[in-house]
Amino acid sequence: MHYTAKLTKEKDGGFSVEFPDIEGCFSEGDSLEEALLMAKDALELTLRDVFDGEPLPASKTKPNHSKGLYSIDVDPELAVALTLAAYRGAKPQSIAAKEMGMQPQAYQRLEDPSANLSVKMLHRIANYIGKKLEISFK
């Protein structure tokens, strides 16, 4: 999962950061490298706080470095947790657990970004949400 950040060079130095596809997500940095790191932090904090259990906004803006548009990857663990929570929506975790054939406590861990999920469990999650699990090493 990724979103595109727009970095703008400021007149007094540094860069401001905004995400065209995520309203209210901003940051800044003194250098390009720092601005990109701060962009990742701002993105992940916003996704955790604003979209927890809500449908995630579509990533529509395409990266283009010449226009200051940079792709920012979301940590995979957070992406899985947010995707699963968004799929579940307002449904209680206990119901989702029952649908997946697991204990509620086990399901609850799936929506924890710090969970260490196996490939087998990721495959199970993908099946539950009607997706296909694809793993690639680029």
Side-chain angles (χ1 to χ4, degrees):
M1 172 187 292
H2 74 275
Y3 287 91
T4 300
K6 179 170 178 47
L7 278 68
T8 304
K9 180 108 172 113
E10 297 297 325
K11 293 177 185 175
D12 57 349
F15 293 84
S16 61
V17 179
E18 65 178 302
F19 286 85
D21 300 323
I22 302 178
E23 187 175 326
C25 186
F26 302 98
S27 192
E28 60 183 25
D30 291 333
S31 66
L32 177 63
E33 295 77 20
E34 183 179 296
L36 291 170
L37 287 172
M38 299 302 289
K40 182 174 177 65
D41 286 346
L43 171 62
E44 291 180 351
L45 284 171
T46 300
L47 290 176
R48 283 178 198 251
D49 293 345
V50 176
F51 297 101
D52 185 23
E54 298 294 323
L56 297 170
S59 178
K60 298 176 186 174
T61 306
K62 302 291 182 213
N64 182 335
H65 291 190
S66 67
K67 294 183 178 179
L69 299 169
Y70 293 82
S71 180
I72 306 295
D73 291 327
V74 176
D75 284 331
E77 296 87 352
L78 179 58
V80 169
L82 290 170
T83 300
L84 187 55
Y87 179 82
R88 179 177 55 80
K91 183 187 310 180
Q93 286 182 338
S94 60
I95 300 297
K98 189 173 186 176
E99 292 173 352
M100 287 187 72
M102 60 179 31
Q103 295 295 316
Q105 297 84 354
Y107 178 88
Q108 191 175 28
R109 285 191 296 273
L110 299 180
E111 290 188 23
D112 179 352
S114 65
N116 188 10
L117 303 177
S118 67
V119 173
K120 185 175 181 178
M121 184 54 72
L122 290 171
H123 186 264
R124 190 171 174 183
I125 291 168
N127 284 336
Y128 175 67
I129 64 174
K131 301 288 183 179
K132 178 181 172 185
L133 177 64
E134 293 182 5
I135 297 173
S136 68
F137 298 92
K138 296 180 182 185

